Amino acid sequence: MRAEVRVFVADGPLPDEGASGEEIDRRVEQLDAISGPVTAQEARALADCFGPDDCHGVAWTLLHLIETGPNPVLTVEPEPDANEWHDRLWTRAANAGLVEGD
């Protein structure tokens, strides 16, 4: 796994929209340092970094970066109480015919 991905992953999930501008900017800079395509290992690690909301659009950037890697990242449908971003990744993979959706 590349160093820039390890740094992003080590900081954990994205903050919520109530986080300080400095914190959000710092996470954006970390994310911008990661060039696509990502590896399967990196994509799986990055998928654990979604926070509770879209973090002022940063979560969409994370989702699109994850999708530069080998798909599907999620091979099992998320549980009903899963993070909404995991649901999005799954739905997008199902819509693309990469996984069997309901």
Side-chain angles (χ1 to χ4, degrees), residues 12-34:
L14 290 172
D16 65 26
E17 290 185 343
S20 71
E22 292 82 17
E23 173 65 10
I24 293 172
D25 288 346
R26 186 178 67 77
R27 296 309 303 269
V28 167
E29 287 176 14
Q30 289 176 332
L31 196 55
D32 287 346
I34 304 169

Side-chain angles (χ1 to χ4, degrees), residues 6 14 16 21-22 25 30 34 51 56 59-60 62 66 68 94 99:
R6 284 194 306 271
L14 290 172
D16 65 26
E22 292 82 17
D25 288 346
Q30 289 176 332
I34 304 169
H56 298 285
W60 282 107
L62 177 58
I66 291 167
T68 67
V99 294

